[in-house]
Amino acid sequence: MTQFLKKNAKLFYILFAVFSFMFIILSCVFMTTYNRIAVDYTEDFLITGRPTILTGMSTFCRKTNMQYEVLYGVMFDTNVDLQIANNMMLYLGAVSLVMVAIMLICANASRKKFYISNLVSGVACPSVCIIMGIITIVFIIVCVGDINANYELLNWGSLANGDYYNRAAEQFLANDTSGFTVSATPLIIYIVIIALFIVASGAMIAYAVYRYLDTRKELLASKEESNDVSIDQTNEDTTNVEISSERMVDANA
């Protein structure tokens, strides 16, 4: 196991960097999955929104006996939560890349002996990633709760814009869910990926601590060996002196 960790150290850091890039890419895809909520339900939508969507929303609410304020409020709140979670994932990816760069600068992936700088960077950097990962998961879980609690409302509200509002109203009255596109499945996938990243970060911490302790053992063993050699050399010199003294005594006799 020891040799495996040492030989594949660079691979671990490469995978760590791949995770970081993945978070940045996923943050771009994140809101694409919920684009209608993000585009049509913003704070200034009533002022700047497209007339066709506003008309569509009003018609949809009238046909489904939903109050516009309720529908719009739920959509707006969900949009806010989604945006926060999306931003956190982006920040997680960016910060993780910085942490990888710091560990590479400290040569954690290539140094044969781990010193205090390697221990500090090898523990602190993954710890930051773990904390941010946990925070991101918490925000995503909030979004999962929003979607699960308002699943039908969010889907009908997402369809109720532009040319889709008539069809959305008809689907609502017929209990037809074939046009639903808003679900918590992508969010759950993100949670799993971040959880794997947290586990990998924990492994990086364990690896740094192990390598540092291993280096300390090697240094102590080397020091003890050096001391033993020094003691042997001293004993040998003492013996030689004693032999020389005895020879001098014999010669005088």
Side-chain angles (χ1 to χ4, degrees):
M1 187 64 178
T2 303
Q3 294 301 320
F4 174 80
L5 291 174
K6 291 182 178 180
K7 289 181 180 179
N8 296 280
K10 291 183 178 180
L11 177 61
F12 298 151
Y13 286 94
I14 291 174
L15 291 176
F16 204 83
V18 169
F19 266 113
S20 303
F21 279 113
M22 185 184 300
F23 293 139
I24 294 176
I25 294 173
L26 287 177
S27 68
C28 297
V29 179
F30 194 136
M31 291 311 300
T32 303
T33 307
Y34 309 99
N35 61 332
R36 286 184 178 171
I37 297 176
V39 172
D40 297 337
Y41 298 91
T42 56
E43 192 168 16
D44 60 347
F45 180 79
L46 290 175
I47 301 174
T48 62
R50 295 188 297 277
T52 54
I53 298 179
L54 291 174
T55 303
M57 286 297 301
S58 299
T59 305
F60 174 79
C61 292
R62 186 172 63 253
K63 287 188 176 182
T64 56
N65 293 320
M66 289 184 182
Q67 292 184 355
Y68 179 82
E69 292 78 7
V70 174
L71 175 60
Y72 187 87
V74 171
M75 300 293 282
F76 174 76
D77 292 340
T78 302
N79 177 39
V80 171
D81 291 338
L82 288 170
Q83 293 286 358
I84 294 175
N86 186 69
N87 291 339
M88 283 303 304
M89 182 172 286
L90 177 62
Y91 300 152
L92 174 62
V95 171
S96 298
L97 284 177
V98 174
M99 297 299 103
V100 170
I102 292 175
M103 288 187 286
L104 290 178
I105 291 173
C106 293
N108 286 14
S110 57
R111 183 165 288 176
K112 294 182 179 180
K113 295 183 182 298
F114 260 49
Y115 299 99
I116 191 65
S117 61
N118 302 108
L119 177 64
V120 172
S121 60
V123 172
C125 293
S127 296
V128 171
C129 296
I130 289 175
I131 293 172
M132 289 200 64
I134 293 174
I135 294 174
T136 303
I137 286 179
V138 170
F139 281 115
I140 295 179
I141 289 176
V142 172
C143 296
V144 172
D146 290 342
I147 292 175
N148 289 336
N150 305 284
Y151 177 72
E152 294 180 343
L153 181 59
L154 291 172
N155 275 282
W156 290 321
S158 296
L159 290 173
N161 60 67
D163 298 330
Y164 298 97
Y165 67 87
N166 285 325
R167 186 178 67 184
E170 292 173 359
Q171 289 175 337
F172 170 73
L173 295 173
N175 291 323
D176 181 7
T177 60
S178 61
F180 285 7
T181 58
V182 178
S183 72
T185 301
L187 300 177
I188 295 174
I189 294 175
Y190 298 151
I191 291 174
V192 172
I193 294 174
I194 297 174
L196 292 175
F197 178 69
I198 290 175
V199 172
S201 299
M204 295 289 287
I205 294 175
Y207 172 71
V209 173
Y210 164 77
R211 286 297 308 278
Y212 178 75
L213 294 177
D214 189 50
T215 298
R216 293 288 296 174
K217 289 180 180 178
E218 291 178 359
L219 291 175
L220 289 174
S222 177
K223 186 176 181 180
E224 290 177 357
E225 183 178 349
S226 177
N227 290 336
D228 291 340
V229 172
S230 178
I231 292 172
D232 291 341
Q233 184 65 39
T234 302
N235 292 335
E236 184 178 348
D237 292 341
T238 302
T239 302
N240 291 335
V241 170
E242 291 175 352
I243 293 174
S244 298
S245 298
E246 289 176 358
R247 287 177 179 177
M248 291 178 63
V249 171
D250 292 340
N252 291 333

